[in-house]
Amino acid sequence: MTIAAFVLLLFGAVPIALVLGLTAMVYIQASGNTVLFESYPQQLFAAIESYGLLAIPLFMLAGELMNEGGVTRRLIDLARLLVGGFRGGLAYINLVANMMMASIVGSAASQIAIMSRAMVPAMEAEGYDRPYSAAITAAGGLLSPIIPPSMLFVLFGVMAQVPIAEMFIAGILPGLLLGLAFFLAIAVVGIRQQYPKGRWPSRYEARRALVMGLPALGIPLIIIGGILLGVATPTESAALASLDALLLGRFLYGELRLACLPMVLQRTAMNAGLVIMLIAAAGVFGWVVTYERLPQLAAAGIAALTTDPFLFLLLLVGVLLLVGMIIDGIAALILVVPILLPIAEQQFGVSPYQFGVVVCLTLVLGLLTPPVGAGLYIASSMTGTPPLRIFRALLPFLLASLATLVLLAWQPWLTEWLISR
């Protein structure tokens, strides 16, 4: 009955937070343990009673302030200075700017929306076809959940009870590796399609880009540097990044109007509220999952298939690709971590850092794959391009992502080496 209620609600277009909360209530009623209803509010609150979760709204606020204050445009100008002269230069600029934004925004969907508005019209004006421009922008959004900071990493760290700062550090090498794979994909497509040769900025343009762009680059440096040096927690780094974005947009670039702040705060509160509500409902659902001993049952089933950690992670990637195609990444993470993390650690000796990076990257691929593909539809609505045309142009980047996932599953040191330094 509980499974039937979950499936019915999930495919009945009910918000996922309500699906999780109502399914837990159905289970309690069906099991006859109605006394558990007394613990229901306590479990809801316990799921969000974590200092680390404060980083989520603060990183959202930093991204909103950057976009309103013109910080995003300065990062794009800085990226042009670095890679703008290569063939297919704007494609590389798009990717480098996405990597810079990934170290600030932390949300793939938000990043795709921001960069689609900023980059696709410029690429189209220089001769790139619109589906390919939208595809590069959408693919760049995949960097957001891997390069720190990452909302998925924050959530995973809270659920897995591992330090969020160490999860961020674990994502640095995989994020750079994924960026390199995307660079190679752009190079191959650029040679085949003969995209226009880029233009290096003039000396005046380069000087201006440096002067205006370096302060903007200070935001990711504050976040990553504060965490790596141990002088600030991820939550404190997010607060400092928000303050820096506010000061830059208001006083240096002069584009952030005080009249816009209520709207910025409202958008941040609404988006963060949705995430926190989902986490609270998932806490109750995870409580039910543990009560029913589902992790133990799943462990027995997986152990019958393989005892090799690499094969286990490949099986995990295959299953989660299907899950990510149907369910939002945050919701899917909340569903699978309580069940699969104990199996990975106890049965196969997989570290939580390797597990977390592989799971987060796999789930976020669902943003760009039908039938749900929220990121695909965001890029489509922002650019006016049919989703299937964007998806076809995305295939080289999806293949590059899968190759990166296989490498991360095969070589655990890629996620653990920086942590041990």
Side-chain angles (χ1 to χ4, degrees):
M1 180 178 176
T2 305
I3 295 175
F6 176 78
V7 173
L8 184 65
L9 291 168
L10 183 64
F11 290 98
V14 177
I16 190 67
L18 293 179
V19 171
L20 298 176
L22 291 173
T23 301
M25 295 179 75
V26 169
Y27 164 78
I28 294 172
Q29 186 64 43
S31 67
N33 295 326
T34 53
V35 69
L36 294 177
F37 279 121
E38 297 178 10
S39 300
Y40 194 98
Q42 181 183 3
Q43 293 297 327
L44 279 172
F45 180 76
I48 57 174
E49 193 182 15
S50 171
Y51 171 73
L53 289 177
L54 280 174
I56 292 177
L58 288 171
F59 281 127
M60 287 182 171
L61 178 60
E64 292 283 354
L65 289 170
M66 283 178 55
N67 203 35
E68 287 289 335
V71 177
T72 303
R73 185 157 51 83
R74 270 69 182 195
L75 290 177
I76 293 172
D77 290 342
L78 198 59
R80 186 184 296 273
L81 176 63
L82 297 174
V83 292
F86 298 121
R87 178 173 294 279
L90 264 182
Y92 292 111
I93 291 169
N94 195 339
L95 184 58
V96 171
N98 265 298
M99 292 181 76
M100 293 177 182
M101 289 292 292
S103 63
I104 303 167
V105 177
S107 166
S110 299
Q111 185 168 324
I112 291 170
I114 292 169
M115 297 304 291
S116 292
R117 292 197 300 267
M119 289 303 305
V120 173
M123 291 185 69
E124 197 175 7
E126 291 201 17
Y128 298 82
D129 59 76
R130 190 182 298 178
Y132 179 66
S133 305
I136 292 178
T137 307
L142 296 178
L143 297 165
S144 192
I146 303 301
I147 294 179
S150 161
M151 283 199 295
L152 285 182
F153 280 0
V154 172
L155 184 53
F156 179 83
V158 171
M159 297 180 68
Q161 296 184 345
V162 297
I164 296 172
E166 291 187 0
M167 270 308 303
F168 283 177
I169 294 170
I172 293 176
L173 280 182
L176 295 175
L177 188 63
L178 184 61
L180 177 61
F182 285 172
F183 270 110
L184 294 176
I186 290 173
V188 170
V189 173
I191 291 171
R192 290 183 58 190
Q193 301 291 335
Q194 286 297 298
Y195 280 115
K197 192 177 186 305
R199 179 185 69 85
W200 292 110
S202 66
R203 183 173 299 180
Y204 170 77
E205 291 170 333
R207 189 184 304 115
R208 180 173 176 79
L210 272 175
V211 170
M212 301 301 286
L214 286 178
L217 194 61
I219 297 178
L221 291 178
I222 286 173
I223 296 171
I224 298 174
I227 293 169
L228 286 177
L229 296 175
V231 298
T233 66
T235 302
E236 292 164 350
S237 294
L240 290 172
S242 298
L243 177 61
D244 194 12
L246 174 65
L247 295 176
L248 288 178
R250 178 72 181 126
F251 297 108
L252 181 61
Y253 304 139
E255 295 186 19
L256 181 63
R257 294 181 293 111
L258 293 180
C260 292
L261 285 181
M263 181 180 62
V264 167
L265 294 172
Q266 182 185 27
R267 285 201 303 264
T268 302
M270 289 179 65
N271 292 330
L274 291 173
V275 175
I276 298 300
M277 181 180 175
L278 182 56
I279 294 169
V284 178
F285 186 83
W287 172 49
V288 168
V289 163
T290 306
Y291 198 84
E292 278 292 280
R293 296 176 54 82
L294 286 184
Q296 290 84 345
L297 295 174
I302 294 174
L305 296 175
T306 182
T307 56
D308 183 82
F310 177 55
L311 290 179
F312 163 73
L313 288 173
L314 290 185
L315 286 171
L316 183 66
V317 167
V319 171
L320 294 185
L321 281 174
L322 297 176
V323 171
M325 290 179 184
I326 302 170
I327 305 176
D328 174 73
I330 292 176
L333 185 72
I334 289 168
L335 287 174
V336 302
V337 168
I339 298 173
L340 296 176
L341 179 59
I343 301 170
E345 289 187 292
Q346 298 163 19
Q347 197 90 5
F348 295 95
V350 176
S351 80
Y353 305 107
Q354 183 187 18
F355 178 87
V357 170
V358 169
V359 166
C360 290
L361 178 54
T362 305
L363 287 177
V364 85
L365 284 176
L367 272 175
L368 303 180
T369 51
V372 178
L376 197 62
Y377 292 106
I378 290 171
S380 174
S381 65
M382 290 289 176
T383 61
T385 309
L388 285 179
R389 292 190 64 192
I390 298 177
F391 180 70
R392 283 196 292 269
L394 263 170
L395 287 176
F397 301 98
L398 295 178
L399 291 174
S401 300
L402 288 174
T404 304
L405 273 171
V406 172
L407 188 58
L408 293 175
W410 180 41
Q411 297 291 334
W413 68 269
L414 288 170
T415 53
E416 299 167 17
W417 183 69
L418 282 179
I419 299 174
S420 62
R421 305 308 291 172

